[in-house]
């Protein structure tokens, strides 16, 4: 391997993480938590446990259920402490060496790490570490943490981790397990989510949970305690939860796309139920860009809450005019354009009686390449709709994400190259409207976007990247030139 293998794999990790301290059947509960977080990653999954003497791990390609439903696998994961990870499909190769949690034996003991997000200086650090003689086993950002911890001159695990954290830049939520503690970290801006929960044990002691989203607490009966703060490191052991703030404080910039699309609608993120946020975005969309119509139809599943909000605000009936087949994966992650086209047909079908002769408002959460919208509009027209109006519950996606949401390179984003009118023509709709950036902020409880100090990371809509993109030229030079032109 050379450092340039990093470029090939484009480690855009958009993932789910879960961790437990002092919980009976930790591996089984971690599998449950990962199952609830399956939407954050379907490519691969892994669990690492610690039984007080030894670490044990199982990692595999595919879904949580495919990997952790076998009693023999589970019996090889003893212990009351565990961390787990779901990895999202990326454009890079799917190989076992790129499946988390990563584990290494150090002189101070074992250390496993699972992370969600992207380190924007991973390539630079990788090169520097290789030059120092570090031998990388994978192309994952997380391995950078392992090597930085290995070469740190500090003695305790926590100090070594802080030393490593101070050298990385990026958007990440990280969970780690050592012989002594379960550790959780959110990057200084808090771009990616991480929460703390409590799971009382039969013997009266406290069990602790770290997870990407609250839906992972609900599935295992844990109670929500709080969000891990941006820039906070929590050290969890039998004495409880210790909070450390190793970074200089900066204003938070949570990822607004988690509210729009990525988080599960039954999760509460940064104090706000995602479901309510999506309904309010839909209502705001109706206020901003309503047209006369007979039915509001969501593009399932991601468009459903926004369409409900739109329908409630506009007073037009909400109908399931498109039915989704749940037994196919997300079309977005299929590898070729041809398959992607086919995938949409596999995934969605028109509910003719609802659409025939009607003026239809379709609501979806985002247009990325435009493939889904074009196919859906065509399908709704073929089912006999009189008019098809597309309403999108996010602003136009004009920029790629380098902080952990898997978006294609900028040249493939429809909104990067076309005006709304052109996009409307391309997808074949009678009208097309996106929520405005201020409308999005109003829906999330703000008067408007604060341009001087933005409330969220909204780089995919504004091109304002809050974390320096050191290695941007490495993943994609076309992206670099496009980006430097604009910013
Ligand atoms: P496209 O067909 O490329 O325009 O993709 C748009 C569809 O993909 C929308 O229906 C979204 O719900 C979905 N989508 C948006 N962002 C992502 C993402 N990062 N991963 C998977 N699906 C996505």
């Amino acid at each position: 391997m050379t450092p340039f293998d990093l470029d090939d794999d484009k480690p855009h990790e958009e993932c789910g993480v879960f961790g437990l301290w002092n919980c009976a059947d930790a591996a089984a509960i971690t599998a449950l938590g990962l199952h609830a977080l399956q939407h954050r990653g379907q490519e691969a999954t892994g669990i690492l446990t610690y039984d007080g003497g030894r670490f044990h791990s199982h990692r595999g390609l595919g879904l949580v259920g495919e990997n952790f439903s076998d009693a023999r696998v589970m019996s090889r994961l003893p212990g009351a402490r565990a961390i787990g990870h779901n990895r999202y499909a990326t454009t890079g190769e799917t190989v076992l060496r790129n499946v988390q949690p990563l584990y290494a034996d150090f002189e101070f003991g074992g250390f496993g790490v699972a992370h969600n997000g992207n380190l924007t200086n991973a390539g630079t650090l990788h090169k520097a570490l290789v030059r120092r003689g570090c031998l990388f086993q994978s192309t994952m950002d997380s391995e950078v943490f392992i090597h930085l911890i290995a070469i740190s001159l500090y003695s305790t695990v926590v100090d070594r981790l802080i030393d490593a954290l101070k050298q990385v830049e990026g958007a990440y939520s990280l969970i780690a397990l050592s012989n002594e503690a379960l550790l959780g970290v959110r990057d200084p801006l808090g771009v990616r989510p991480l929460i703390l929960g409590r799971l009382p044990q039969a013997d009266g002691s406290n069990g602790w949970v770290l997870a990407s989203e609250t839906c992972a607490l609900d599935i295992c009966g844990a109670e929500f305690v709080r969000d891990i703060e941006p820039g906070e490191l929590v050290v969890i052991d039998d004495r409880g939860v210790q909070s450390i703030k190793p970074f200089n404080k900066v204003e938070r910039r949570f990822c607004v796309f988690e509210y729009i699309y990525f988080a599960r609608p039954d999760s509460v993120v940064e104090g706000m139920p995602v479901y309510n946020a999506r309904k309010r975005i839909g209502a705001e969309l109706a206020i901003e860009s309503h047209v006369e119509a007979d039915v509001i139809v969501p593009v399932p599943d991601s468009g459903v809450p926004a369409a409900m909000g739109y329908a409630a605000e506009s007073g037009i009936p909400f109908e399931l005019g498109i039915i989704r087949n749940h037994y196919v994966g997300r079309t977005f992650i299929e590898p070729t354009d041809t398959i992607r086209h086919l995938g949409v047909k596999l995934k969605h079908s028109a509910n003719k009686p609802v659409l025939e002769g009607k003026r239809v408002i379709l609501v979806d959460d985002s247009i990325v390449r435009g493939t889904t919208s074009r196919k859906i509009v065509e399908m709704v027209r073929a089912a006999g709709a009189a008019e098809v109006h597309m309403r999108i519950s996010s602003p136009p996606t004009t920029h790629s994400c380098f902080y952990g949401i898997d978006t294609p390179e900028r040249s493939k984003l429809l909104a990067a190259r076309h005006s709304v009118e052109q996009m409307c023509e391309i997808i074949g709709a009678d009208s097309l409207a996106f929520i405005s950036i201020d409308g999005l902020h109003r829906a999330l409880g703000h008067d408007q976007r604060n341009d001087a100090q933005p409330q969220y990371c909204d780089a995919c809509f504004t091109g304002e990247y809050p974390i320096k993109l050191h290695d941007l030229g490495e993943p994609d030079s076309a992206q670099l030139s496009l980006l430097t032109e604009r910013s």
Side-chain angles (χ1 to χ4, degrees):
M1 274 212 305
T2 73
F4 297 103
D5 283 335
L6 262 182
D7 308 355
D8 301 335
D9 260 4
K10 287 193 189 164
H12 287 204
E13 281 137 29
E14 178 183 54
C15 308
V17 291
F18 188 88
L20 286 178
W21 182 267
N22 185 40
C23 291
D25 276 336
I29 294 175
T30 302
L32 277 182
L34 292 177
H35 175 66
L37 296 172
Q38 191 74 83
H39 61 289
R40 298 185 73 88
Q42 301 100 42
E43 185 187 44
T45 183
I47 294 178
L48 173 79
T49 64
Y50 182 56
D51 63 11
R54 291 184 56 190
F55 285 84
H56 311 267
S57 99
H58 180 83
R59 301 181 298 164
L61 305 181
L63 302 176
V64 177
E66 291 161 3
N67 280 283
F68 296 109
S69 51
D70 184 335
R72 278 170 311 174
V73 169
M74 298 313 285
S75 70
R76 289 199 288 267
L77 294 170
R81 304 165 192 181
I83 58 173
H85 186 265
N86 285 336
R87 179 179 156 96
Y88 200 84
T90 70
T91 48
E93 58 171 337
T94 308
V95 285
L96 207 48
R97 68 186 164 87
N98 277 346
V99 181
Q100 299 188 42
L102 278 183
Y103 174 79
D105 277 312
F106 294 104
E107 54 174 318
F108 58 77
F111 188 83
V113 58
H115 100 289
N116 165 215
N118 262 13
L119 305 184
T120 48
N121 63 346
T124 312
L125 287 173
H126 181 278
K127 275 182 203 147
L129 288 164
V130 168
R131 235 172 264 141
R132 279 195 59 149
C134 296
L135 304 173
F136 275 75
Q137 302 290 311
S138 78
T139 57
M140 289 185 291
D141 290 6
S142 338
E143 199 176 341
V144 168
F145 283 111
I146 297 274
H147 290 290
L148 289 174
I149 289 168
I151 63 170
S152 172
L153 298 174
Y154 288 89
S155 54
T156 69
V157 183
V158 172
D159 286 343
R160 283 171 181 247
L161 176 60
I162 293 174
D163 189 21
L165 290 169
K166 291 202 163 161
Q167 296 172 69
V168 305
E169 282 184 35
Y172 56 85
S173 282
L174 176 142
I175 296 187
L177 188 62
S178 74
N179 296 46
E180 288 144 26
L182 172 68
L183 306 146
V185 193
R186 263 179 100 188
D187 72 77
L189 296 175
V191 176
R192 304 257 69 88
L194 190 64
I195 51 141
L196 174 70
R198 188 174 18 230
L199 188 54
Q201 298 298 292
D203 65 3
S205 64
N206 261 331
W208 297 101
V209 191
L210 289 171
S212 295
E213 291 182 37
T214 59
C215 63
L217 300 182
D218 299 337
I219 196 170
C220 57
E223 77 190 59
F224 173 74
V225 176
R226 64 179 178 87
D227 287 281
I228 303 303
E229 288 294 308
E232 181 181 8
L233 159 63
V234 286
V235 181
I236 301 173
D237 60 21
D238 288 338
R239 290 166 295 182
V241 181
Q242 186 200 347
S243 168
I244 301 172
K245 300 271 175 64
F247 308 104
N248 295 331
K249 194 171 161 38
V250 285
E251 291 299 324
R252 61 175 64 213
R253 297 290 291 274
F254 182 64
C255 166
V256 78
F257 202 66
E258 292 269 356
Y259 283 119
I260 292 165
Y261 171 80
F262 206 48
R264 227 171 74 162
D266 56 336
S267 284
V268 179
V269 175
E270 296 254 303
M272 185 184 297
V274 173
Y275 182 70
N276 294 0
R278 289 187 189 161
K279 277 172 69 175
R280 292 222 298 260
I281 298 172
E284 205 46 64
L285 190 57
I287 294 167
E288 283 188 355
S289 61
H290 187 50
V291 281
E292 285 301 309
D294 305 307
V295 279
I296 308 295
V297 170
V299 178
D301 292 327
S302 47
V304 172
M308 290 173 72
Y310 194 115
E313 179 63 35
S314 64
I316 299 175
F318 170 96
E319 297 284 0
L320 295 179
I322 299 168
I323 304 300
R324 176 170 165 192
N325 183 325
H326 284 268
Y327 305 98
V328 282
R330 292 176 181 186
T331 54
F332 187 92
I333 61 180
E334 299 287 0
T336 68
D337 278 342
T338 326
I339 309 252
R340 213 173 280 119
H341 279 262
L342 254 184
V344 176
K345 280 195 220 143
L346 288 174
K347 193 160 102 170
H348 295 117
S349 50
N351 187 6
K352 244 187 172 177
V354 167
L355 304 168
E356 228 162 9
K358 303 273 175 49
R359 294 169 300 171
V360 179
I361 295 181
L362 287 174
V363 182
D364 201 358
D365 66 281
S366 56
I367 293 182
V368 182
R369 296 177 177 86
T371 322
T372 310
S373 305
R374 202 166 59 221
K375 284 282 148 192
I376 295 273
V377 170
E378 190 182 306
M379 192 173 76
V380 170
R381 280 205 200 284
E387 290 172 23
V388 186
H389 303 277
M390 192 72 166
R391 295 293 177 270
I392 303 293
S393 64
S394 63
T397 304
T398 50
H399 289 74
S400 302
C401 178
F402 298 100
Y403 304 142
I405 298 282
D406 187 35
T407 41
E409 65 188 58
R410 185 146 188 245
S411 60
K412 295 209 172 104
L413 296 173
L414 200 65
R417 290 174 296 125
H418 300 285
S419 65
V420 174
E421 295 71 38
Q422 287 169 333
M423 291 172 82
C424 181
E425 211 177 303
I426 292 168
I427 67 167
D430 293 295
S431 76
L432 168 67
F434 294 81
I435 194 163
S436 68
I437 193 83
D438 283 336
L440 174 63
H441 282 75
R442 276 195 297 278
L444 296 174
H446 310 276
D447 293 338
Q448 59 183 58
R449 181 179 194 265
N450 179 354
D451 292 340
Q453 180 53 63
Q455 294 91 332
Y456 301 96
C457 174
D458 52 16
C460 49
F461 310 129
T462 60
E464 285 180 38
Y465 290 92
I467 305 164
K468 208 172 155 201
L469 300 168
H470 302 269
D471 299 333
L472 185 65
E474 294 190 15
D476 187 331
S477 51
Q479 245 159 7
L480 177 65
S481 55
L482 273 167
L483 204 111
T484 38
E485 267 167 36
R486 291 266 181 126
S487 53

Coordinates of all heavy atoms in Angstrom, one line a residue, residues 232-280:
E232 N -16.3 17.6 23.5 CA -16.2 16.9 24.8 C -15.7 15.5 24.7 O -16.0 14.8 23.7 CB -17.6 16.8 25.4 CG -17.7 16.2 26.8 CD -19.1 16.1 27.4 OE1 -20.0 16.4 26.8 OE2 -19.1 15.7 28.6
L233 N -14.9 15.1 25.6 CA -14.4 13.7 25.8 C -15.0 13.1 27.0 O -14.9 13.7 28.1 CB -12.9 13.7 25.8 CG -12.2 12.4 26.4 CD1 -12.5 11.2 25.6 CD2 -10.7 12.7 26.4
V234 N -15.8 12.0 26.9 CA -16.3 11.4 28.2 C -15.5 10.1 28.4 O -15.2 9.4 27.5 CB -17.8 11.1 28.2 CG1 -18.6 12.4 28.3 CG2 -18.2 10.4 26.9
V235 N -15.1 10.0 29.7 CA -14.4 8.7 30.1 C -15.4 8.0 31.1 O -15.7 8.5 32.1 CB -13.1 9.1 30.8 CG1 -12.4 7.9 31.3 CG2 -12.3 10.0 30.0
I236 N -15.8 6.8 30.7 CA -16.8 6.1 31.4 C -16.2 4.9 32.0 O -15.6 4.0 31.3 CB -18.0 5.7 30.5 CG1 -18.6 7.0 29.9 CG2 -19.1 4.9 31.3 CD1 -19.7 6.7 28.9
D237 N -16.3 4.8 33.4 CA -15.9 3.5 34.0 C -16.8 3.3 35.2 O -17.8 4.0 35.4 CB -14.4 3.6 34.4 CG -14.1 4.7 35.3 OD1 -15.0 5.3 36.0 OD2 -12.9 5.2 35.4
D238 N -16.4 2.4 36.1 CA -17.3 2.1 37.2 C -17.6 3.2 38.2 O -18.5 3.2 39.0 CB -16.8 0.8 38.0 CG -17.0 -0.4 37.1 OD1 -17.9 -0.4 36.2 OD2 -16.3 -1.4 37.3
R239 N -16.7 4.2 38.1 CA -16.9 5.4 39.0 C -18.0 6.4 38.4 O -18.5 7.3 39.0 CB -15.6 6.2 39.2 CG -14.6 5.4 40.0 CD -13.3 6.0 40.0 NE -12.7 5.9 38.6 CZ -11.5 6.3 38.2 NH1 -10.7 6.9 39.1 NH2 -11.1 6.1 37.0
G240 N -18.3 6.1 37.1 CA -19.3 7.0 36.5 C -18.8 7.7 35.2 O -17.9 7.1 34.6
V241 N -19.3 8.8 34.9 CA -19.0 9.5 33.6 C -18.2 10.8 34.0 O -18.7 11.7 34.6 CB -20.2 9.9 32.9 CG1 -19.9 10.6 31.5 CG2 -21.1 8.7 32.6
Q242 N -16.9 10.8 33.5 CA -16.1 12.0 33.7 C -16.0 12.7 32.4 O -15.9 12.2 31.3 CB -14.7 11.5 34.1 CG -13.7 12.6 34.5 CD -12.3 12.1 34.4 OE1 -12.0 10.9 34.3 NE2 -11.4 13.1 34.4
S243 N -16.2 14.1 32.5 CA -16.2 14.9 31.3 C -15.0 15.7 31.2 O -14.6 16.4 32.1 CB -17.4 15.8 31.3 OG -17.4 16.8 30.3
I244 N -14.3 15.7 30.0 CA -13.1 16.4 29.8 C -13.3 17.3 28.5 O -13.9 16.8 27.6 CB -11.9 15.5 29.6 CG1 -11.7 14.6 30.8 CG2 -10.6 16.3 29.3 CD1 -10.7 13.5 30.6
K245 N -12.8 18.6 28.6 CA -13.0 19.4 27.4 C -11.6 19.8 26.9 O -11.0 20.8 27.3 CB -13.7 20.7 27.8 CG -15.1 20.5 28.3 CD -16.1 20.5 27.2 CE -17.6 20.1 27.6 NZ -18.2 21.1 28.5
P246 N -11.0 18.9 26.1 CA -9.6 19.2 25.7 C -9.4 20.3 24.7 O -8.2 20.7 24.5 CB -9.2 17.8 25.1 CG -10.4 17.1 24.8 CD -11.6 17.7 25.5
F247 N -10.4 20.8 24.0 CA -10.2 21.8 23.0 C -10.6 23.1 23.4 O -11.4 23.3 24.3 CB -11.1 21.4 21.8 CG -10.9 20.0 21.3 CD1 -11.9 19.1 21.5 CD2 -9.8 19.6 20.5 CE1 -11.8 17.8 21.1 CE2 -9.7 18.4 20.0 CZ -10.7 17.4 20.3
N248 N -10.1 24.2 22.7 CA -10.6 25.5 22.9 C -12.1 25.5 22.4 O -12.4 24.9 21.4 CB -9.8 26.5 22.1 CG -8.4 26.6 22.6 OD1 -8.1 26.4 23.7 ND2 -7.5 26.9 21.6
K249 N -12.9 26.3 23.2 CA -14.3 26.3 22.8 C -14.6 27.1 21.5 O -14.0 28.1 21.3 CB -15.1 26.9 24.0 CG -16.6 26.6 23.8 CD -17.4 27.0 25.0 CE -18.9 27.1 24.8 NZ -19.6 26.3 23.9
V250 N -15.3 26.5 20.6 CA -15.8 27.2 19.4 C -17.3 27.0 19.3 O -17.9 26.1 19.9 CB -15.1 26.6 18.1 CG1 -13.6 27.0 18.1 CG2 -15.2 25.1 18.1
E251 N -17.9 27.8 18.5 CA -19.4 27.7 18.3 C -19.7 26.4 17.6 O -19.1 26.0 16.7 CB -19.9 28.9 17.5 CG -19.8 30.3 18.2 CD -20.6 30.3 19.5 OE1 -21.7 29.7 19.5 OE2 -20.2 30.9 20.5
R252 N -20.8 25.8 18.1 CA -21.2 24.5 17.5 C -21.7 24.7 16.1 O -22.3 25.7 15.7 CB -22.2 23.9 18.4 CG -23.5 24.6 18.6 CD -24.5 23.8 19.3 NE -24.1 23.6 20.7 CZ -24.4 22.4 21.4 NH1 -25.2 21.5 20.8 NH2 -24.1 22.3 22.6
R253 N -21.5 23.6 15.3 CA -22.0 23.6 13.9 C -22.5 22.2 13.5 O -21.9 21.5 12.7 CB -20.8 24.0 12.9 CG -20.2 25.4 13.1 CD -21.2 26.5 12.7 NE -21.4 26.5 11.2 CZ -20.6 27.1 10.3 NH1 -19.6 27.8 10.8 NH2 -20.9 27.1 9.0
F254 N -23.6 21.8 14.2 CA -24.1 20.5 14.0 C -24.6 20.4 12.5 O -25.0 21.3 11.9 CB -25.3 20.3 14.9 CG -25.9 18.9 14.8 CD1 -25.2 17.8 15.1 CD2 -27.2 18.7 14.3 CE1 -25.7 16.5 14.9 CE2 -27.8 17.5 14.1 CZ -27.0 16.4 14.4
C255 N -24.5 19.2 11.9 CA -24.8 18.9 10.5 C -26.3 19.0 10.3 O -27.1 18.2 10.8 CB -24.4 17.5 10.2 SG -25.1 16.9 8.6
V256 N -26.8 20.0 9.5 CA -28.2 20.2 9.3 C -28.8 19.1 8.5 O -30.0 18.8 8.6 CB -28.4 21.6 8.7 CG1 -28.1 21.7 7.2 CG2 -29.8 22.1 9.0
F257 N -28.0 18.4 7.7 CA -28.5 17.3 6.9 C -29.0 16.1 7.7 O -29.8 15.3 7.3 CB -27.4 16.9 5.9 CG -28.0 16.2 4.7 CD1 -28.9 16.8 3.8 CD2 -27.7 14.8 4.4 CE1 -29.4 16.2 2.7 CE2 -28.3 14.2 3.3 CZ -29.1 14.9 2.4
E258 N -28.5 16.0 9.0 CA -29.0 15.0 9.9 C -30.5 15.2 10.1 O -31.2 14.2 10.1 CB -28.2 15.0 11.2 CG -26.8 14.6 11.2 CD -26.5 13.1 11.4 OE1 -27.5 12.3 11.7 OE2 -25.4 12.7 11.3
Y259 N -30.9 16.4 10.3 CA -32.3 16.7 10.5 C -33.1 16.5 9.2 O -34.2 16.0 9.2 CB -32.5 18.2 10.9 CG -32.2 18.5 12.3 CD1 -31.2 19.4 12.6 CD2 -32.9 17.9 13.3 CE1 -30.9 19.7 13.9 CE2 -32.6 18.1 14.6 CZ -31.6 19.0 14.9 OH -31.2 19.3 16.2
I260 N -32.5 16.8 8.1 CA -33.2 16.7 6.8 C -33.4 15.3 6.4 O -34.5 14.9 6.0 CB -32.5 17.5 5.7 CG1 -32.6 19.0 6.0 CG2 -33.1 17.2 4.3 CD1 -31.6 19.9 5.2
Y261 N -32.4 14.5 6.4 CA -32.4 13.2 5.8 C -31.8 12.1 6.7 O -32.4 11.0 6.8 CB -31.6 13.2 4.5 CG -31.4 11.8 3.9 CD1 -32.4 11.2 3.2 CD2 -30.2 11.1 4.1 CE1 -32.3 9.9 2.7 CE2 -30.0 9.8 3.6 CZ -31.1 9.2 2.9 OH -30.9 8.0 2.4
F262 N -30.6 12.3 7.3 CA -29.9 11.2 7.7 C -30.3 10.5 9.0 O -30.4 9.3 9.0 CB -28.4 11.6 7.8 CG -27.5 10.4 7.6 CD1 -27.7 9.5 6.6 CD2 -26.5 10.1 8.5 CE1 -27.0 8.4 6.4 CE2 -25.7 9.0 8.3 CZ -26.0 8.1 7.3
A263 N -30.7 11.2 10.0 CA -31.1 10.6 11.3 C -32.4 9.9 11.1 O -33.2 10.3 10.2 CB -31.1 11.7 12.4
R264 N -32.7 9.0 12.0 CA -34.0 8.3 11.9 C -35.0 9.2 12.5 O -34.8 9.9 13.5 CB -33.9 7.0 12.7 CG -34.5 5.8 11.9 CD -34.2 4.5 12.6 NE -35.0 4.3 13.8 CZ -35.2 3.1 14.4 NH1 -34.6 2.0 13.8 NH2 -36.0 3.0 15.4
P265 N -36.2 9.2 11.9 CA -37.3 10.2 12.4 C -37.7 10.1 13.8 O -38.2 11.0 14.4 CB -38.4 10.0 11.4 CG -38.1 8.8 10.6 CD -36.7 8.5 10.7
D266 N -37.5 8.9 14.4 CA -37.9 8.7 15.8 C -36.7 9.1 16.8 O -36.8 8.9 18.0 CB -38.4 7.3 16.1 CG -37.4 6.2 15.8 OD1 -36.5 6.5 14.9 OD2 -37.4 5.1 16.3
S267 N -35.6 9.6 16.3 CA -34.5 10.1 17.1 C -34.7 11.5 17.5 O -35.3 12.3 16.8 CB -33.2 9.9 16.4 OG -32.8 8.6 16.3
V268 N -34.2 11.8 18.7 CA -34.2 13.2 19.2 C -32.7 13.7 19.0 O -31.8 13.1 19.6 CB -34.6 13.3 20.6 CG1 -34.6 14.8 21.1 CG2 -36.0 12.8 20.8
V269 N -32.5 14.7 18.2 CA -31.1 15.1 17.9 C -30.9 16.5 18.5 O -31.6 17.4 18.1 CB -30.8 15.0 16.4 CG1 -29.5 15.6 16.1 CG2 -31.0 13.6 15.9
E270 N -29.9 16.7 19.3 CA -29.6 18.0 19.9 C -30.8 18.6 20.5 O -31.1 19.8 20.2 CB -28.9 18.9 18.8 CG -27.6 18.4 18.3 CD -26.4 19.2 18.9 OE1 -26.4 20.4 18.7 OE2 -25.5 18.6 19.5
G271 N -31.6 17.8 21.2 CA -32.8 18.3 21.8 C -34.1 18.4 21.0 O -35.1 18.8 21.5
M272 N -33.9 18.2 19.7 CA -35.1 18.3 18.8 C -35.5 17.0 18.2 O -34.7 16.4 17.5 CB -34.8 19.4 17.7 CG -36.1 19.6 16.9 SD -35.8 20.7 15.6 CE -35.4 22.2 16.4
P273 N -36.8 16.6 18.3 CA -37.2 15.4 17.7 C -37.1 15.5 16.1 O -37.6 16.5 15.6 CB -38.7 15.2 18.1 CG -38.8 16.0 19.3 CD -37.9 17.1 19.2
V274 N -36.4 14.6 15.5 CA -36.2 14.7 14.0 C -37.5 14.8 13.3 O -37.7 15.5 12.3 CB -35.3 13.5 13.6 CG1 -35.1 13.5 12.1 CG2 -33.9 13.6 14.3
Y275 N -38.5 14.0 13.8 CA -39.8 13.9 13.1 C -40.4 15.3 13.1 O -40.9 15.8 12.1 CB -40.6 12.9 13.9 CG -42.0 12.7 13.4 CD1 -42.2 12.0 12.2 CD2 -43.1 13.1 14.1 CE1 -43.5 11.8 11.7 CE2 -44.4 12.9 13.6 CZ -44.6 12.2 12.4 OH -45.8 12.0 11.9
N276 N -40.4 16.0 14.3 CA -41.0 17.3 14.3 C -40.3 18.3 13.4 O -40.9 19.1 12.7 CB -40.9 17.9 15.8 CG -41.8 17.1 16.7 OD1 -42.4 16.1 16.3 ND2 -41.8 17.5 18.0
A277 N -38.9 18.2 13.4 CA -38.1 19.1 12.6 C -38.5 18.9 11.1 O -38.8 19.9 10.4 CB -36.6 18.8 12.8
R278 N -38.7 17.6 10.7 CA -39.0 17.4 9.3 C -40.4 17.9 9.0 O -40.7 18.4 7.9 CB -38.9 15.9 9.0 CG -37.4 15.5 9.0 CD -37.1 14.1 8.5 NE -35.7 13.9 8.8 CZ -35.1 12.7 8.9 NH1 -35.8 11.6 8.7 NH2 -33.8 12.7 9.1
K279 N -41.4 17.7 9.9 CA -42.7 18.2 9.6 C -42.7 19.7 9.5 O -43.4 20.3 8.7 CB -43.7 17.8 10.7 CG -44.2 16.3 10.5 CD -45.0 15.8 11.6 CE -46.3 16.4 11.8 NZ -47.1 15.7 12.9
R280 N -42.0 20.4 10.4 CA -41.9 21.8 10.4 C -41.2 22.3 9.1 O -41.6 23.4 8.5 CB -41.1 22.4 11.6 CG -41.9 22.1 12.9 CD -41.9 23.3 13.8 NE -40.5 23.6 14.2 CZ -40.0 23.3 15.4 NH1 -40.8 22.6 16.3 NH2 -38.8 23.6 15.7

